[in-house]
Amino acid sequence: MPDVPFNLLGTTLALVVGPAIPLVYFLQVDFMVLQVFIPIMGRVGNILPVDCIMAVLLSILTTITLSAITPLLCLVRPSSLHVLHKYTVLGSVASVVVAILSNSYSADCPKRLGLNHIYRNFSQLNLPDDWGMWINACDYLGLEPLRPAFASNSKWSHRLHAPAGPEAPITIFDNFPWFYPISHIIPVKHTWYLPANPPDVQTIPT
């Protein structure tokens, strides 16, 4: 039986061009998934660890996408593949450590807060009126990254916790002025109610 010559060039082209179609397909799927999930995760409030969910999602997408180029590994020597695996693990661990130690916020990606200068009137419930600055965060880290800055103000240092005190007998959106019923997304336990000057309240004719 005659020997069939081994066409190295043809095999190499097949290994390089063959994974291109599934690779492009998976990249397109990745873009579509991220375009859906990133806006949704940015609006779920602070009840879910959004960063962890996105990290798991990205790791799954990356694993599936890179599986398209696994045929190219047959062109790599086993010794080189072992070294590549070792450096990949070290690079991943280093990236995680740097991400943990670095600041999560920057001028290009600031921390989003909700500020409401409110005045609550309980005249129909025989409770004293109160007013203040209500602060809530839009990510799962809550307001803890801001604690050192706010703690330096003696007027606020003892109020850096969830609102407490006499509650109205009737609970409407956790007694705070929501325009929409989203108190389950940004619960009161992750907010601060800081003392402030009373706002300029105007009576609405009825």
Side-chain angles (χ1 to χ4, degrees), residues 30 34 38 51-65:
D30 294 347
L34 294 178
I38 289 179
D51 290 358
C52 297
I53 294 175
M54 290 304 302
V56 172
L57 179 62
L58 283 173
S59 63
I60 294 174
L61 293 177
T62 302
T63 302
I64 295 175
T65 302

Side-chain angles (χ1 to χ4, degrees), residues 19-37:
I21 295 177
L23 181 61
V24 172
Y25 171 76
F26 284 132
L27 287 175
Q28 185 65 29
V29 172
D30 294 347
F31 291 145
M32 293 176 62
V33 171
L34 294 178
Q35 286 176 352
V36 172
F37 273 89

Side-chain angles (χ1 to χ4, degrees), residues 120-202:
R120 297 195 297 175
N121 177 268
F122 301 113
S123 58
Q124 302 297 324
L125 301 173
N126 295 322
L127 291 175
D129 297 349
D130 70 347
W131 49 83
M133 183 68 70
W134 180 37
I135 305 178
N136 55 70
C138 299
D139 58 85
Y140 81 102
L141 292 178
L143 298 169
E144 289 304 315
L146 304 178
R147 185 177 294 276
F150 279 84
S152 60
N153 189 316
S154 58
K155 183 175 65 174
W156 292 336
S157 59
H158 64 289
R159 298 291 296 272
L160 303 182
H161 54 75
E167 297 290 341
I170 301 175
T171 301
I172 301 176
F173 302 153
D174 292 321
N175 293 321
F176 286 108
W178 288 111
F179 289 104
Y180 300 102
I182 58 174
S183 59
H184 63 287
I185 297 178
I186 306 179
V188 173
K189 65 180 181 180
H190 296 307
T191 65
W192 293 344
Y193 191 40
L194 304 181
N197 296 327
D200 183 15
V201 179
Q202 298 181 359

